[in-house]
């Protein structure tokens, strides 16, 4: 099974994608944003995790683009 969860970082939130109960992707910073900034809220991290999960389930690359973050309401 494939799944996701949000986790607390030192200054915010990150997310992990799991495959067969093993971590496949661990993202503690907001992808495609300059610097090492964590997500402000658990909900923001979960939104991006869901997007990555859906991409993987539909056999797409799990890359995240700035335009996708903007659509999700996640700003720099």
């Amino acid at each position: 099974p494939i799944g996701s969860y949000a986790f607390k970082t030192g200054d915010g939130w990150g997310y992990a994608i799991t495959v067969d109960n093993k971590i496949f992707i661990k993202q503690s910073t907001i992808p495609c944003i300059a610097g090492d900034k964590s997500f402000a809220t658990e909900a923001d991290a979960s939104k991006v995790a869901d997007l990555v999960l859906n991409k993987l389930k539909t056999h797409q690359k799990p890359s995240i683009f700035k335009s996708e973050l903007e659509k999700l309401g996640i700003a720099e």
Side-chain angles (χ1 to χ4, degrees):
I2 185 168
S4 67
Y5 63 89
F7 61 87
K8 191 81 173 110
T9 66
D11 59 349
W13 291 87
Y15 67 86
I17 305 296
T18 59
V19 177
D20 295 329
N21 299 315
K22 293 181 182 144
I23 294 175
F24 180 65
I25 297 171
K26 186 173 183 181
Q27 187 72 45
S28 57
T29 59
I30 302 173
C32 74
I33 298 289
D36 290 334
K37 185 177 176 186
S38 293
F39 292 93
T41 66
E42 182 179 10
D44 285 351
S46 293
K47 283 190 239 178
V48 177
D50 289 344
L51 177 60
V52 172
L53 202 57
N54 286 331
K55 285 185 172 196
L56 290 170
K57 286 179 177 179
T58 57
H59 307 287
Q60 298 176 55
K61 289 183 180 181
S63 303
I64 296 296
F65 300 97
K66 193 169 183 173
S67 60
E68 293 171 318
L69 292 177
E70 290 167 356
K71 279 185 191 173
L72 293 173
I74 299 168
E76 255 182 88

